[in-house]
Amino acid sequence: MTTQQNKPTGIFSQLLFNIIIPVVILTRFSGEAHFGPTLGVVVALAFPLLFGAWELKKTGKFSFLSVLGIISVLLTGGISLLELDVKYIAIKEALIPGVIGTAIIVSQYTKYPLLKTLLFNPNTMDITRIEQALEAKGNLNKLPKIQIVASNILAGSFLLSSVLNYVLAKIIVVSPAGTEAYNNELGRMTALSYPIIAVPSMILFFVAFYYLLNSIKKLSGLKIEEMFPE
């Protein structure tokens, strides 16, 4: 029972509550005949916000990325409801992944590198077995260098996302906040963010993971399937 409660939600639920429902509300139900621009933003952003909070409670994992995701939704709501200049949407879109990418790089020089939180952790990989195999081969001292390269690739995925987010927001969101046109543009930007931004960033994310696995494989003699917890 405990394992079922801690299981993360699937990709369909993520897409449904974070992208599909908000996009439909922003583009189809933000006119005066339905919710109107202001309530439309509130209803649309309520779905990813409540879903994020529910997922945090369900998994019991208070992660850095999850918190930033909720902050991002709140910032979008604040900019929209306060009817601030739309340039702040572009800045906000670039800020969140930019902060993550920078944090990954900076954290390499601390006791708590984010690579270990995102990829090289006991939930994802069999750390004890990997370190024992590397030590047996006399290559344990090479692990930090591998982690630094993987961290830089991983950081690159978020920094790429930051640049693409900014460009996409500047091109699409041009109408004043508090208008139906603004809501439609916000919805279109959200819809396009997955194929234009998420996919390239995820490719780089998996490149970082593959580099990490393949490098450990060469230095430890382990098969890739042996690096994961049973």
Side-chain angles (χ1 to χ4, degrees):
M1 180 67 70
T2 303
T3 302
Q4 185 68 23
Q5 288 179 340
N6 291 336
K7 185 178 180 181
T9 52
I11 185 66
F12 177 75
S13 297
Q14 297 278 353
L15 290 174
L16 181 65
F17 290 100
N18 290 322
I19 296 179
I20 297 173
I21 293 178
V23 166
V24 171
I25 293 172
L26 288 169
T27 58
R28 302 297 181 187
F29 296 97
S30 290
E32 295 300 336
H34 299 97
F35 293 119
T38 301
L39 186 57
V41 167
V42 173
V43 174
L45 297 183
F47 282 91
L49 182 62
L50 294 175
F51 178 76
W54 172 80
E55 188 174 36
L56 277 175
K57 182 178 179 181
K58 178 187 176 185
T59 60
K61 296 177 181 178
F62 193 75
S63 71
F64 172 72
L65 293 182
S66 298
V67 171
L68 278 182
I70 291 175
I71 291 174
S72 177
V73 174
L74 291 174
L75 286 174
T76 300
I79 293 168
S80 303
L81 296 178
L82 294 175
E83 299 184 7
L84 302 180
D85 193 306
V86 292
K87 69 180 181 181
Y88 292 111
I89 286 291
I91 293 171
K92 190 275 301 181
E93 288 295 303
L95 181 64
I96 299 299
V99 166
I100 298 171
T102 303
I104 289 172
I105 294 173
V106 172
S107 70
Q108 296 177 45
Y109 307 100
T110 70
K111 295 180 179 179
Y112 306 102
L114 279 175
L115 178 76
K116 292 185 177 181
T117 301
L118 299 172
L119 295 179
F120 197 71
N121 63 74
N123 293 323
T124 306
M125 304 179 72
D126 192 335
I127 306 301
T128 302
R129 187 174 190 178
I130 289 171
E131 291 180 344
Q132 288 174 347
L134 287 170
E135 188 171 14
K137 293 282 188 177
N139 289 325
L140 185 58
N141 62 329
K142 296 180 182 179
L143 181 60
K145 184 178 179 180
I146 294 171
Q147 292 173 328
I148 288 175
V149 175
S151 289
N152 289 336
I153 299 173
L154 188 62
S157 72
F158 286 101
L159 295 177
L160 173 65
S161 174
S162 177
V163 173
L164 293 177
N165 271 334
Y166 182 82
V167 172
L168 189 67
K170 288 292 286 185
I171 292 173
I172 293 179
V173 185
V174 295
S175 299
T179 64
E180 183 180 352
Y182 167 84
N183 282 22
N184 287 331
E185 291 162 2
L186 197 62
R188 283 198 293 124
M189 182 190 72
T190 303
L192 290 172
S193 66
Y194 188 77
I196 293 178
I197 297 168
V199 172
S201 298
M202 285 303 296
I203 290 172
L204 267 182
F205 184 93
F206 284 113
V207 167
F209 198 30
Y210 175 78
Y211 170 81
L212 184 66
L213 294 173
N214 196 48
S215 298
I216 292 173
K217 175 185 175 182
K218 291 178 180 178
L219 294 175
S220 67
L222 292 172
K223 296 178 181 179
I224 288 180
E225 58 268 25
E226 294 175 329
M227 300 180 199
F228 298 101
E230 294 182 359

